[in-house]
Amino acid sequence: MIGRVNHIAIAVPDLAAAAGRYRDLLGARVSAPQSLPEHGVRVVFVEADNTKVELLEPLGAHSPITGFLDKNPGGGMHHICFEVPDIAMAARQLVEAGARVLGDGKPKIGAHGLPVLFVHPKDFDGTLIELEEVKPDFSPA
Amino acid sequence: MIGRVNHIAIAVPDLAAAAGRYRDLLGARVSAPQSLPEHGVRVVFVEADNTKVELLEPLGAHSPITGFLDKNPGGGMHHICFEVPDIAMAARQLVEAGARVLGDGKPKIGAHGLPVLFVHPKDFDGTLIELEEVKPDFSPA
């Protein structure tokens, strides 16, 4: 079912400083920061050759990463996102197996404009897993 | 400097159960477990299309992940490994910039038989970063 790792998300207390470290200490390509107010985060993409790291800073009063940063003030790895071809099927399969899909168990539109869901970290070894529906394409790699 | 994400490592308290979840709930290809006594871990590789997740269980009395699991008994995301073409240069650049390379600051041979180093998570937003020297090849992707 799972295809590519779409991204690894890291919550950081200071987005500009974090992006600077990836750029200057690791020589990574980093995007300009983007604010996603509807998702409560400001994000910088760190481009690796095969996937990306998303650095996330809270935005607004109800950011979904505020609680995480309260517990981990220095930041930390927040979630890993896998691509799936059919998220409705993925949701059904997870729920039938007893895993908790966050929210009402239904996929939502995520930060990339595609349907996503999150699985409770207690059902996956302390790891918050995001699934994002990305239709496979058959163009050459 | 950094190239591919070589792997994302997740420390788990029960390797067989964790591998079963990735296989059965996410439909992932998972390897047979491998014991790496010289690195103090037992590992299962979860193959995504573009990179891999390494599920790590402690092995032996001095496993490097025992402390992490004491703090996070349910498991959690442990580190992210980026490939670099020249690890000696990477180490120099990190140390000159004030980042702490764990151990004596010199690369060691890692679990894949290639030179690796780890950067202190306090110098990278709470994220333990591994760099692994992988010589670029120019074969078609």
Side-chain angles (χ1 to χ4, degrees):
Chain A
M1 184 165 77
I2 56 170
R4 302 173 72 257
V5 170
N6 184 276
H7 62 270
I8 304 106
I10 297 176
V12 303
D14 181 336
L15 189 61
R21 274 187 279 277
Y22 279 83
R23 185 187 61 225
D24 300 336
L25 275 65
L26 294 182
R29 299 180 298 281
V30 302
S31 74
Q34 299 176 28
S35 292
L36 303 173
E38 69 278 28
H39 294 284
V41 292
R42 196 164 154 79
V43 59
V44 163
F45 301 98
V46 178
E47 299 288 345
D49 286 350
N50 56 338
T51 187
K52 59 185 181 287
V53 172
E54 292 188 7
L55 303 174
L56 303 176
E57 182 186 63
L59 180 68
H62 304 288
S63 172
I65 60 170
T66 298
F68 181 89
L69 283 170
D70 285 346
K71 282 186 217 144
N72 306 276
M77 298 176 82
H78 186 265
H79 68 264
I80 178 170
C81 175
F82 296 101
E83 299 176 2
V84 295
D86 181 341
I87 202 159
M89 190 179 78
R92 275 199 308 277
Q93 190 167 325
L94 285 161
V95 169
E96 277 169 20
R100 284 163 288 180
V101 172
L102 298 187
D104 61 4
K106 300 279 191 315
K108 302 281 179 299
I109 297 301
H112 307 144
L114 294 168
V116 303
L117 63 79
F118 286 88
V119 186
H120 199 298
K122 291 210 168 157
D123 294 333
F124 259 91
D125 312 292
T127 300
L128 178 59
I129 289 183
E130 180 180 14
L131 299 181
E132 180 173 274
E133 182 170 277
V134 175
K135 299 292 184 193
D137 72 17
F138 298 97
S139 54
Chain B
M1 184 164 79
I2 56 170
R4 300 174 74 256
V5 169
N6 183 275
H7 61 271
I8 304 107
I10 297 176
V12 303
D14 181 335
L15 189 61
R21 275 187 279 278
Y22 280 83
R23 185 188 60 226
D24 299 335
L25 275 65
L26 296 181
R29 299 180 297 281
V30 303
S31 75
Q34 299 176 27
S35 292
L36 303 173
E38 68 278 26
H39 295 284
V41 292
R42 196 163 154 79
V43 59
V44 162
F45 300 99
V46 178
E47 300 288 345
D49 286 351
N50 56 341
T51 186
K52 59 184 180 290
V53 172
E54 292 188 9
L55 303 174
L56 304 175
E57 181 185 66
L59 180 67
H62 304 289
S63 172
I65 61 170
T66 298
F68 180 89
L69 283 170
D70 286 345
K71 281 185 220 147
N72 306 277
M77 298 177 80
H78 186 265
H79 68 264
I80 177 169
C81 176
F82 295 103
E83 297 177 1
V84 295
D86 181 340
I87 203 161
M89 191 179 78
R92 275 198 308 275
Q93 189 167 325
L94 285 161
V95 170
E96 278 170 18
R100 283 162 289 179
V101 172
L102 298 187
D104 61 5
K106 301 278 192 314
K108 302 280 179 300
I109 296 303
H112 308 143
L114 294 167
V116 303
L117 63 79
F118 286 88
V119 185
H120 198 299
K122 291 210 168 158
D123 295 333
F124 259 90
D125 310 292
T127 302
L128 179 60
I129 290 183
E130 180 179 15
L131 299 181
E132 179 173 276
E133 182 170 277
V134 176
K135 300 293 183 192
D137 75 14
F138 299 97
S139 56

